[in-house]
Amino acid sequence: MTITITAFERSPDGGMGLARDTRVRWALEEAGLPYDVRPVSFSAMKQPAHLAIHPFGQIPTYEDGDLVLFESGAIIFHIASHYPGLLPDDANARARAITWIFAALNTVEPPILEIVTAKFMEGDKPWSKERMPLIADRIRSRLEQLSARLGDAEWLDGGFSAGDLIMVSVLLRLRPSGILNEFASLAAYVARGEARPAYKRAFAAQLAFNTK
C-alpha cells in the first residue's frame, strides 16, 4: 500500500515550506518512498474522521496499511528507523542523531513558535509588542548555543541525518523574522539543507499542492 500523509488543503504560508507536512515530505523523499497526500480543510481537521487519526486536530498524519501516526517528529523517526538514509548504521552515531531530533523539537523549536503565537494569536493584546523582544532574546540565546556547537561543520554530527532534517525545518521558521540571518553559520547550514535534491522535491511538491 502507498503511504498517505495529510496536509493543509490551503497552507497558511501559501506553500512556502513552513507547514509541518513539508518536513515529512522531505523525509519520504530522502528515503525514496512514494506517497499520496490527502488535503484537509481547517473545518475538516476538527471533525471526528480526522480526530480519529490525530486527536489534536492537526496535520500531518501518516498512514501505511494498519499503521497510523501523528506528530511530525514521530513520523520522521519512524521513517528514519525503518528505511535507509536518515540514520547512521553505527549505534552510537545513530543515538546522537536521534538526540538531535529531540533537541530540534524540544529545545530549539518552542521559542521559535512563540513568535507565531505572539504575532498572529496574541497580536491584538496590549502586551504583545512588549513581549516580542523577550521572545527574540530567547531565540538568539538558543541560536548562539546551536551555532557554537555546529562550528564550521557541515552537519550537526557527521553526515546528514534526520536530526539535521528536523533542525533545518525548525530554523526555516525563523526566516520571516530575519533572526536567522544574524547567524551566518546557521543560515549557511539551512541553505545546505535546502540545496539537497530531496528537499527541493518536497518543497516543489508542497508549493504545487497549494497553488493548483
Side-chain angles (χ1 to χ4, degrees):
M1 296 182 66
T2 301
I3 293 167
T4 299
I5 67 170
T6 52
F8 289 122
E9 186 176 66
R10 281 292 178 266
S11 179
D13 73 346
M16 297 309 295
L18 303 184
R20 287 183 176 87
D21 65 287
T22 305
R23 60 183 71 167
V24 173
R25 292 171 186 264
W26 185 5
L28 291 166
E29 293 287 353
E30 290 283 355
L33 297 173
Y35 62 97
D36 292 330
V37 180
R38 185 171 67 249
V40 183
S41 67
F42 284 102
S43 60
M45 288 166 62
K46 308 307 178 185
Q47 298 303 311
H50 187 70
L51 290 172
I53 60 174
H54 197 311
F56 304 109
Q58 299 176 320
I59 60 96
T61 60
Y62 171 103
E63 299 169 65
D64 185 10
D66 294 334
L67 178 64
V68 178
L69 299 173
F70 61 95
E71 294 295 333
S72 62
I75 293 168
I76 292 168
F77 179 67
H78 170 77
I79 295 168
S81 298
H82 289 81
Y83 302 96
L86 286 170
L87 286 175
D89 293 329
D90 175 76
N92 287 348
R94 186 182 185 93
R96 291 193 300 270
I98 293 168
T99 297
W100 281 111
I101 293 175
F102 282 89
L105 296 172
N106 294 343
T107 302
V108 179
E109 188 168 42
I112 292 173
L113 292 179
E114 285 190 65
I115 287 183
V116 178
T117 300
K119 186 174 182 179
F120 296 105
M121 299 177 67
E122 301 172 350
D124 60 340
K125 306 299 182 183
W127 36 260
S128 179
K129 288 185 179 179
E130 287 77 10
R131 187 172 175 230
M132 289 298 288
L134 300 176
I135 295 172
D137 286 345
R138 285 196 289 273
I139 292 170
R140 290 186 178 99
S141 177
R142 284 290 181 236
L143 296 191
E144 286 169 2
Q145 295 166 328
L146 181 61
S147 179
R149 178 56 185 262
L150 179 66
D152 58 1
E154 186 175 20
W155 305 112
L156 290 170
D157 193 292
F160 177 83
S161 75
D164 293 295
L165 186 154
I166 296 182
M167 188 67 79
V168 168
S169 298
V170 165
L171 293 176
L172 276 167
R173 287 178 166 270
L174 278 175
R175 180 162 287 160
S177 73
I179 296 176
L180 181 63
N181 292 332
E182 298 175 18
F183 298 84
S185 64
L186 295 182
Y189 169 68
V190 169
R192 286 192 292 275
E194 292 180 291
R196 293 182 68 83
Y199 177 83
K200 291 181 177 181
R201 292 193 298 270
F203 181 90
Q206 211 264 2
L207 180 60
F209 188 79
N210 281 273
T211 55
K212 61 185 177 182

